[in-house]
Amino acid sequence: MIQYNRFILENGLRVLVHEDTSTPLAVVNIMYDVGSWDENPEKTGFAHLFEHLMFGGSLHIPDYDEPLQKAGGENNAYTTNDLTNYYSQLPAQNIETAFWLESDRMLSLAFGKKSLEVQRKVVIEEFKEHYINKPYGDAWHKLRELAYKVHPYRWMVIGKELSHVENAQLEDVKGFFFKHYRPVNAIMVVTGNVKTGDIKVLAEKWFGDIPKGEKYVRSLPAEPVQTAPRELTVYADVPLDAFYKTWHMDSRLEKGYYVAELLTEILSGGGSSRLFQSLVKEKRLFSQIDCHNSGSIDRGLIAIEGKLVLGVKIEDAEKAVEEELSKLKNELINDAELQKVKNKTESALAFEDMSIMNRANSLAFYELLGDANLMNIELERYQQITAEEVQQYSRTIFDVNNSSTLHYLRKEAAPPPLKGNL
């Protein structure tokens, strides 16, 4: 059980403190309730752009990294569809340095054309490197657009189009910041060798005077239930044919999410998993194959993707995947296999909570979901799942009408163009 204390400043900033005297370190984690799902469909990539801009200097501090490094600290950040998270780890006696840095950039960034241009170039190069020039790099761009029609999960965190970041204006950036990066939309978690009383004093000193801002109320279009299979075939300059298939699944707090988590372990959780044993080791249809889910707060996707062995037909590979899914639908998983994946899940959760950095991140995330104590009871939800529920959920989500399939094939496999009439 992870013990923590919680208080809220008058400006709405939620603060959680987890005391751990076994370490000389401390972590300051600030999670903002903003992700790519909050973007204008015509101006995507802003949440991720801000992940970079937040390190480009704030109102009174021109360089974020240098003071933190002098205090013996390190930092990083990440953006998802659902949230943006910033975290620093440093010696506990120097923790006020992190409070000073984080409060100043929450107060206001040092908005300027130079900073925007520098970070814009960084993001543009990242987009090109990972999503345009990399083999299979645009696969998930295409797959999301295939699976989602109205929900903002239909675009990647990096953005829907490179032009959206290229054309971002300073006023757009300012508007996004003051709409989302406010105390009332933030959660601060402090973990490590600290005392809650001291953290209260520091929080009031450094964050108490920052204007509250307006509470952001999210209103997203609900994705309609998919009623027919969707398919797309792409030919590109890639070394191997690739297979991608997704199905819509339940949201993060629904029971189906936990069943889907176990299903991904059953299908591809290591060398003894079903897909690896059958399709890689025995039938040798795939050189690699994986099953995972998007882990998103709203209704996400469970996906199977893999690279085919050279010479294997995509139809044969897909048929073999469907046969494995049919086994889940028609045969109850035995107790030993189900308990094995539950044990593996328990180990993963325990391992995640070993570091104070991961504890800080988890507490912030569960607080964002609505209750930080969910961190302490999630394992029970996995343990309660039965073999019958696994089978029923497999039948529900692995429905052909709930599926979107992408065949990402080598150019040389493309059919010849049709000849025009002479």
Side-chain angles (χ1 to χ4, degrees):
M1 298 291 287
I2 303 300
Q3 303 296 325
Y4 61 92
N5 298 305
R6 182 181 183 275
F7 59 92
I8 304 176
L9 301 187
E10 287 188 13
N11 60 11
L13 179 65
R14 287 172 278 174
V15 184
L16 285 75
V17 184
H18 166 63
E19 301 178 8
D20 183 352
T21 58
S22 68
T23 175
L25 302 173
V27 170
V28 176
N29 188 109
I30 296 191
M31 185 172 287
Y32 290 92
D33 187 8
V34 56
S36 62
W37 63 349
D38 299 308
E39 296 165 344
N40 181 332
E42 303 306 317
K43 296 179 180 180
T44 63
F46 271 57
H48 177 256
L49 177 61
F50 259 89
E51 179 193 321
H52 292 265
L53 284 170
M54 288 286 276
F55 292 99
S58 53
L59 196 60
H60 303 105
I61 305 169
D63 187 333
Y64 181 94
D65 289 327
E66 184 180 353
L68 188 66
Q69 290 168 358
K70 285 183 177 180
E74 58 181 0
N75 69 88
N76 214 328
Y78 64 87
T79 311
T80 73
N81 294 111
D82 306 317
L83 57 89
T84 308
N85 196 55
Y86 301 87
Y87 52 94
S88 301
Q89 181 172 278
L90 70 172
Q93 66 265 29
N94 295 336
I95 194 171
E96 191 164 5
T97 299
F99 274 73
W100 166 57
L101 291 165
E102 289 292 355
S103 66
D104 199 62
R105 64 178 179 179
M106 184 185 288
L107 176 65
S108 181
L109 288 182
F111 293 107
K113 289 184 178 180
K114 182 179 179 181
S115 175
L116 176 58
E117 286 308 313
V118 169
Q119 301 306 327
R120 189 207 311 272
K121 288 179 181 177
V122 172
V123 174
I124 288 172
E125 287 307 308
E126 182 182 350
F127 199 118
K128 290 179 179 177
E129 179 182 355
H130 295 289
Y131 303 98
I132 296 178
N133 299 329
K134 185 179 180 180
Y136 316 101
D138 61 347
W140 271 95
H141 281 270
K142 297 180 183 300
L143 202 51
R144 281 175 180 259
E145 290 174 357
L146 191 65
Y148 290 104
K149 297 307 174 186
V150 300
H151 195 284
Y153 285 166
R154 68 184 184 274
W155 60 80
M156 300 281 285
V157 174
I158 191 79
K160 182 165 60 175
E161 298 175 14
L162 185 58
S163 62
H164 289 185
V165 175
E166 289 175 329
N167 297 327
Q169 300 298 308
L170 199 57
E171 288 306 310
D172 296 330
V173 169
K174 285 184 179 180
F176 194 85
F177 178 84
F178 288 110
K179 180 178 181 180
H180 297 289
Y181 282 74
R182 298 292 82 203
V184 73
N185 293 317
I187 300 163
M188 180 166 69
V189 178
V190 183
T191 61
N193 200 345
V194 298
K195 297 294 183 184
T196 301
D198 297 335
I199 298 305
K200 280 185 178 180
V201 171
L202 289 173
E204 287 288 358
K205 175 182 177 180
W206 290 105
F207 292 89
D209 293 335
I210 300 176
K212 180 177 184 176
E214 290 187 26
K215 177 63 180 173
Y216 174 64
V217 179
R218 188 171 285 113
S219 179
L220 301 177
E223 183 68 24
V225 174
Q226 188 174 334
T227 57
R230 299 167 186 164
E231 297 179 357
L232 176 67
T233 299
V234 172
Y235 296 94
D237 187 15
V238 292
L240 295 170
D241 293 341
F243 168 82
Y244 301 81
K245 199 178 189 80
T246 67
W247 300 262
H248 294 277
M249 56 174 277
D250 287 340
S251 61
R252 185 60 179 76
L253 292 177
E254 293 180 275
K255 186 169 187 176
Y257 175 88
Y258 300 94
V259 184
E261 283 270 277
L262 294 185
L263 276 172
T264 62
E265 282 296 320
I266 292 166
L267 287 169
S268 75
S272 63
S273 63
R274 294 190 177 193
L275 293 181
F276 180 83
Q277 283 291 317
S278 175
L279 307 187
V280 177
K281 192 174 180 180
E282 295 174 12
K283 297 180 181 178
R284 298 184 179 181
L285 298 173
F286 287 85
S287 59
Q288 62 183 76
I289 192 166
D290 182 44
C291 178
H292 56 90
N293 74 74
S294 54
S296 49
I297 292 177
D298 216 340
R299 290 178 59 83
L301 300 172
I302 187 169
I304 294 177
E305 59 178 288
K307 305 291 191 307
L308 277 62
V309 170
L310 196 62
V312 171
K313 294 180 180 178
I314 191 75
E315 297 83 4
D316 295 338
E318 185 167 7
K319 182 180 177 182
V321 169
E322 291 297 335
E323 287 173 355
E324 291 302 316
L325 298 182
S326 293
K327 292 177 184 176
L328 281 170
K329 296 176 188 178
N330 299 318
E331 304 168 14
L332 275 181
I333 183 173
N334 64 56
D335 292 340
E337 187 178 9
L338 181 57
Q339 192 58 52
K340 182 184 74 172
V341 296
K342 287 181 178 180
N343 292 345
K344 192 170 182 180
T345 300
E346 180 177 2
S347 297
L349 290 173
F351 183 77
E352 283 178 6
D353 294 340
M354 287 180 67
S355 77
I356 56 172
M357 187 172 288
N358 285 344
R359 282 178 234 157
N361 178 78
S362 294
L363 281 169
F365 178 64
Y366 289 112
E367 177 70 19
L368 186 71
L369 287 178
D371 181 6
N373 195 52
L374 286 171
M375 180 179 181
N376 290 320
I377 62 174
E378 275 231 302
L379 180 59
E380 297 174 21
R381 299 188 176 187
Y382 291 104
Q383 296 289 14
Q384 291 168 358
I385 294 168
T386 66
E388 288 77 13
E389 287 171 330
V390 171
Q391 183 183 50
Q392 184 55 51
Y393 198 67
S394 298
R395 291 172 175 172
T396 300
I397 64 164
F398 293 134
D399 179 349
V400 64
N401 292 318
N402 186 39
S403 68
S404 297
T405 307
L406 171 63
H407 293 166
Y408 206 109
L409 308 180
R410 294 171 299 127
K411 271 185 179 178
E412 52 263 41
L418 294 174
K419 295 181 178 180
N421 294 327
L422 296 177

